[in-house]
Amino acid sequence: MKSAPAGSFLKLAVGQEYNEGTHCWDVLDDLFDMWPHLIAGTGILMIAIASYSGGGSVALEWSVLFIALQLLMRAGFKLAYIRRSEQASLQLWLYIFWVAALMSGVLWGISMALMFHQASPSIQLMTLTVGCAIVQSATSRGYMAPLQSMSQAAALMLILAAQAVVDGLYLVAPLALLLMLFQIGQVRKLIELRVSELKSKQERVEAQELLAEKAEALETANAQLKHYAMTDELTGLPNRRKFDQRLARQLDEAVRQENCLSLALIDVDHFKQFNDTHGHLAGDACLTVIGLVMKEFADVPRLFAARYGGEEFALIMSSTDSTGAASIAEKLRKLMSEIDMSNVIAGAPGITISIGIATMLNGEPLSAEDLINRADSGLYEAKRSGRNRVRSGDGLKLSSMKELPQT
């Protein structure tokens, strides 16, 4: 364990650099407690009773008065501390406590010196014993506020030792010095333990915060990775994997709720010819534009758009019957036909799409594959009928996209 820093005894509060002052307010809560002063006052009062019983000191009344004054003074400081404002300065209250501690030491010292003066040896011994106990009590809290605690103890012992020297007990002075040196050593060890404890606590908090940050970053990275794994890079739409998951989930929900569900399969007309004429980069640009349009078009709760593969797209329409699906598909077809691709690719013609739709009736037990095949049949019919149109695959003979006319 590292030794306490050289300036530890000059600190108003050990650990003030930790926890942004929260720790120091907790320290002040303890330091302003009245119980140590009540115990010290009781000890001094017991000396006064013993002194009075033995004939007493001429200054006994003054001694009791000073200890009463000390208790009233500390009670006043305690009350002021309790009533402090929420915006109170921590540094100011540390200085206030220093003043209170120093005044306590002085008043204790005067009170005990008055009892010690010209008292019997037994009373003097009792006075020194209680004084040492008070010093021990004060310095035992020195790990929290060393400057105030040591100032308090030093004031008490200095006054009491001076009175002993005045009374001819010269040996008390070096003994008092040895006591203070012993207390300094004890406080130094307590400060070492306190600083080590606070430092370890702060390191634990910092480690926990770092761990939380790392966990959050990992969670964000995983979420991004999951998003990328489910997103088509070119169009920004959900990919085929995400589409399959979404369709299966919404079919299950529709069956449970006895609701209808519609699906549209969309194919870009003459896309192979577009690619051959303008190049693959232009084809990618075309798909990107279509993806943006579909993403904006499907930005409503009931619709879910995805890239199905190649130049094919899909649109899931929850709680939508065949009439509603046809209306939505027709709006999308018209929207696509209004896109001016020449703004993106010089000399490029407008684009059109063919759409096949299929609907699962309320509560109809239909698999995703069956619904896709129905929409596929509708798409085949739209292509066969001349493209740039919407056709329903419900009730049609199932077809395969391999049979589609050349796109």
Side-chain angles (χ1 to χ4, degrees), residues 77-397:
F77 277 113
K78 172 70 174 179
L79 184 61
Y81 177 73
I82 292 174
R83 293 181 175 179
R84 72 188 186 279
S85 68
E86 294 183 359
Q87 292 78 33
S89 166
L90 172 64
Q91 201 67 18
L92 174 62
W93 274 101
L94 287 170
Y95 278 114
I96 291 174
F97 176 73
W98 188 11
V99 172
L102 191 58
M103 290 177 64
S104 292
V106 170
L107 291 172
W108 276 333
I110 294 174
S111 176
M112 299 180 77
L114 291 172
M115 288 195 203
F116 189 90
H117 179 55
Q118 297 180 353
S120 64
S122 62
I123 295 298
Q124 289 180 337
L125 179 60
M126 288 178 62
T127 304
L128 290 174
T129 301
V130 171
C132 290
I134 293 175
V135 168
Q136 178 66 35
S137 174
T139 54
S140 68
R141 308 170 88 191
Y143 72 93
M144 295 188 287
L147 184 58
Q148 299 94 312
S149 299
M150 298 308 295
S151 298
Q152 184 182 68
L156 187 155
M157 289 308 296
L158 181 63
I159 295 172
L160 190 55
Q163 183 61 57
V165 170
V166 169
D167 287 355
L169 299 173
Y170 302 107
L171 190 59
V172 171
L175 288 176
L177 178 61
L178 287 175
L179 176 63
M180 289 304 300
L181 291 175
F182 174 77
Q183 295 302 322
I184 288 172
Q186 288 296 102
V187 171
R188 184 180 181 86
K189 286 295 181 183
L190 290 173
I191 291 175
E192 291 176 12
L193 291 171
R194 185 63 167 176
V195 170
S196 178
E197 176 191 2
L198 292 172
K199 184 177 180 182
S200 298
K201 184 178 179 180
Q202 184 182 48
E203 288 174 350
R204 287 197 303 271
V205 171
E206 289 175 352
Q208 290 171 351
E209 290 176 349
L210 180 61
L211 183 61
E213 289 176 4
K214 295 294 184 183
E216 184 178 356
L218 181 60
E219 185 177 349
T220 301
N222 287 334
Q224 290 176 342
L225 183 61
K226 183 178 180 180
H227 172 74
Y228 293 144
M230 296 290 185
T231 304
D232 177 63
E233 185 176 359
L234 181 63
T235 63
L237 291 171
N239 60 16
R240 175 65 181 273
R241 182 181 179 186
K242 180 67 175 179
F243 164 78
D244 289 340
Q245 292 180 0
R246 183 66 173 260
L247 180 60
R249 179 166 62 85
Q250 292 201 207
L251 277 171
D252 288 342
E253 290 179 359
V255 171
R256 286 198 311 272
Q257 298 171 5
E258 296 186 354
N259 205 348
C260 51
L261 178 75
S262 294
L263 172 67
L265 290 182
I266 302 136
D267 188 79
V268 183
D269 295 330
H270 304 295
F271 186 73
K272 183 178 183 303
Q273 181 181 344
F274 186 96
N275 248 353
D276 292 341
T277 303
H278 300 282
H280 290 288
L281 290 179
D284 287 348
C286 176
L287 293 177
T288 300
V289 171
I290 293 173
L292 290 172
V293 173
M294 287 202 64
K295 188 174 184 179
E296 184 176 350
F297 181 80
D299 190 22
V300 291
R302 288 195 306 159
L303 303 183
F304 176 83
R307 187 179 182 188
Y308 193 72
E311 69 271 23
E312 301 158 20
F313 297 84
L315 185 67
I316 301 174
M317 297 167 278
S318 60
S319 302
T320 304
D321 59 16
S322 55
T323 302
S327 176
I328 292 172
E330 183 61 24
K331 289 179 181 178
L332 179 59
R333 185 197 67 78
K334 289 181 178 179
L335 183 63
M336 289 294 180
S337 66
E338 295 170 357
I339 297 175
D340 184 3
M341 288 301 297
S342 63
N343 292 329
V344 182
I345 304 160
I351 57 173
T352 60
I353 57 173
S354 297
I355 304 176
I357 58 174
T359 299
M360 183 191 77
L361 301 177
N362 296 354
E364 179 184 3
L366 192 65
S367 69
E369 183 180 1
D370 289 340
L371 188 63
I372 290 172
N373 282 334
R374 286 187 186 181
D376 184 20
S377 295
L379 179 58
Y380 173 84
E381 182 63 23
K383 289 286 189 180
R384 191 186 64 81
S385 301
R387 301 183 178 84
N388 190 23
R389 62 200 63 214
V390 178
R391 289 291 184 268
S392 172
D394 296 327
L396 294 177
K397 179 182 177 181

